[in-house]
Amino acid sequence: MARRGGAEQEAGEERFSRLYRAHARDVLAYALPRAGGPEDAADVVAETFLVAWRRIGDVPSGDEGRLWLYGTARRVLANQRRGERRRDRLSSRLGSELAAAVAVPAPQGREGAALLRVLARLGEEDREILMLAGWEELKSPQIARVLGISAVAARVRLHRARRRLRAELAAEEEGAPEVSVKELGLEEGR
C-alpha cells in the first residue's frame, strides 16, 4: 500500500474514525447472530474495520458506507466459516491418522489395572517421568531434555518416582511390583 501524504493521511484517519464511530455497533449487531459467539463477532468487527482502513478510499459515504461494511462483514464471516471447516476437517483427519499410527501401550490384565490405579494416585511429575521412561522408552539423558532439567536430576527423579511406584504397588497388591514395573519398562538401569 502506498504511503499517503500528511494531509491526505489525516483526512483518511478522520474519515475512518467517523466511519467507526457511526457504524461499529451496527457491524457488531450484524455479526453477533451470524458468528459462533461474541468473541468471533468481535473478530469479525475488527477484520471488517481493518479492511475498511486499508481501503478507506473505496468506502462510500453516508448510508452506503454502512452497507459496504455489512458486505465486508459478510465476506469476513464466510472466510471465518471456511477456516473453521478446514480446521475441523484437518483436526478430524489428523486425529484418526494419529490414533491409527500411535498405539499407546497400556498395561493389560490384573497387574496392568493395578498399575494404572497406582499411576493415577502418583503426583503429576512422577507420572510424567515414569511414562517417559516406560511408554516412550526414553533414557535419563533424553528425559532430561524433554523436561528441561539436567541428566543427573532426571536420574534422581526417575529413581525416586520408581521407588514411590514400587511402594504404592506393594500397598496395592503383594507380588505385583516386580512384574508390573518390568512390564512398564521401568526397571532400574534405564
Side-chain angles (χ1 to χ4, degrees), residues 9-30:
Q9 184 174 351
E10 283 182 32
E13 288 174 6
E14 179 56 35
R15 180 151 187 254
F16 177 81
S17 293
R18 281 193 314 270
L19 185 71
Y20 185 83
R21 284 191 307 271
H23 302 299
R25 288 184 187 269
D26 295 334
V27 174
L28 180 59
Y30 174 86

Side-chain angles (χ1 to χ4, degrees), residues 31-105:
L32 274 169
R34 293 167 174 84
E39 296 85 9
D40 291 338
D43 288 346
V44 169
V45 172
E47 184 69 24
T48 299
F49 278 96
L50 178 62
V51 172
W53 170 253
R54 289 180 179 157
R55 298 184 53 201
I56 194 68
D58 298 336
V59 180
S61 303
D63 197 47
E64 289 295 314
R66 181 172 60 99
L67 300 178
W68 186 92
L69 290 168
Y70 285 163
T72 302
R74 182 175 175 272
R75 287 185 289 283
V76 168
L77 280 160
N79 287 341
Q80 193 179 66
R81 285 188 204 105
R82 275 193 299 276
E84 287 170 5
R85 284 193 303 270
R86 278 193 303 269
R87 277 189 302 278
D88 289 346
R89 284 192 309 266
L90 179 61
S91 176
S92 177
R93 191 180 83 227
L94 285 176
S96 60
E97 287 176 8
L98 288 174
V102 179
V104 177

Side-chain angles (χ1 to χ4, degrees), residues 84-163:
E84 287 170 5
R85 284 193 303 270
R86 278 193 303 269
R87 277 189 302 278
D88 289 346
R89 284 192 309 266
L90 179 61
S91 176
S92 177
R93 191 180 83 227
L94 285 176
S96 60
E97 287 176 8
L98 288 174
V102 179
V104 177
Q108 302 295 316
R110 193 172 56 92
E111 289 93 5
L115 185 59
L116 291 175
R117 282 192 306 275
V118 168
L119 277 172
R121 287 195 309 256
L122 291 176
E124 187 176 329
E125 286 183 7
D126 283 349
R127 224 179 6 258
E128 178 65 14
I129 202 162
L130 290 167
M131 290 171 74
L132 286 170
W135 286 341
E136 272 60 67
E137 299 179 351
L138 299 181
K139 306 269 191 242
S140 293
Q142 296 167 317
I143 292 171
R145 292 200 47 208
V146 170
L147 298 179
I149 58 177
S150 71
V152 171
R155 260 191 317 277
V156 169
R157 286 185 190 180
L158 182 56
H159 174 75
R160 290 177 181 164
R162 285 175 173 148
R163 191 174 57 212

